[in-house]
Amino acid sequence: MFLAPRGTIDILPEDQPYWLYVYDQIRRVAQLFDYQRLDIPIFEDTGLYVRGVGQGTDIVDKEMYSFVDKGGRDITLRPEFTAGIMRSYIQNGMRTWPQPVKVYTTGPIFRYERVQAGRYRQHTQFDIESIGSSDPAVDLEVMSVAWQLFSELGFRQLSFQLNSTGCPACRPAYIQKLVSYYEGQREHICEDCKRRLERNPLRVLDCKVETCQPIIAGAPHIQDDLCPECAEHFSTLRGYLDALGRPYTINHRLVRGLDYYTKTVFEVWAQGIGAQNAVCGGGRYDGLAEEIGGEPTPGIGFGSGIERIVMLMKEQGVQIPQPGASQVVLVYHGQPSKMRCIQLLDGLREAGIAATMGFDDRSLRAQLRNANRIGAPYALVLGEQELVADQIVLQDMQGDAPRETLALDDTVRVLKARLGMDTACTA
RNA sequence: GUGGGCGUAGCCGAGUGGUUAAGGCAUCUGGUUGUGGCCCAGAAGACCGUGGGUUCAACUCCCACCGCUCACCCCA
């Protein structure tokens, strides 16, 4: 007996309406903001992620699904979208396209993590990137995509968190300042924070341990140490957000786990998806293109986990359109009737009527029970008696309307009329 | 990598040492030689997660392993 590998899930038919609805909304909103779809491979050269995401990050150090293929190439299942999309930008010469290049995609992401509520080893992301502009108005636009998507999905009580993490000109000095502040508090901080100081000092600001909270409260804020360019960028973005009346929280503890982020970082938080609270996270990555061997190219984007979005929709009771079942089920009795049903079924489908039929020569009763359970509004019953008379019985499965006998040749026309399908233009 | 909780049919779930391991949902068949929903009857479906131990006797107690799950860490 096999089980799905740890951290993977089956998305069953009963959940598909949520997924399809989310994909529909994504496509609509992306189009509204003039973002085009781009699909990239599910696996890339391992080096792309090592260089792009950065050594010392959890993703690269311990979470990648990496293997050597039969040709001896080092391959990694994508642990995030941005590096691959930037690779595609460079490889396809997108710098010759109108700038910025605005793309989105959806698909599976792989990270070898310990599983818990809202966290999987294979999860699905909606990802959007705007590459080629350093204008804070682009930051605003990208954030607005998230804003509009989530509000159209009907979410309530989401919280936008915003911060700036500076750039290579100002961040190192800030990190130095933060580290020396922490060195002075060394005996008061938790073990994890001691480790963070070595590996990824900014992350100490995100610590949740009780005893670390006073230390964090007294820590220097990066906003006080941004270089003029970063400070200008940040205040301009805030001005735009304010002008649109967008509520957001400046969170100087918001930091990201990937190396390529510069300036703007943001997340969208929600309750109800276990201990995880981010449904969306992203930021600016002006240094990424150079890091992976391209011309210096600014960019900004975000990823959003669809499993978490669906969890939230259920949590918040978001209503979605229900997909229709088969409109009609064909029920037969006897082999000649079965043959005729198979032909009729084909004709119904060619006419655009969603139809199924009973199988396995089960009793009329069993076939009708099944039709009822499926939820089809109509059943067509074809037995020996009807067949010899070139007739068929139409049965309304929703009410108590009496059965009707139709001419077999007339079935498609009558059904179309019943189902409200316009027959005038198809005749 | 660390810690907590939990493993009885497809799903939910009773059973805490003693004959054939409740019940419900779902599935299949029949009650109507050819008519669904409601109802009734019946059938099928469980090596009680796996292995070891204790005992005259283990689903039940003990140990190990595996799996699921939640949390830390980290992130979407």
Side-chain angles (χ1 to χ4, degrees), chain A residues 199-211:
Chain A
R199 295 181 56 211
N200 198 343
L202 287 178
R203 295 226 62 90
V204 297
L205 296 172
D206 203 24
C207 184
K208 283 143 199 139
V209 173
E210 190 69 36
T211 53

Side-chain angles (χ1 to χ4, degrees), chain A residues 30-44:
Chain A
Q31 192 171 16
L32 218 45
F33 283 77
D34 196 30
Y35 283 71
Q36 295 187 291
R37 182 159 183 118
L38 168 70
D39 283 298
I40 58 168
I42 279 180
F43 55 85
E44 298 263 6

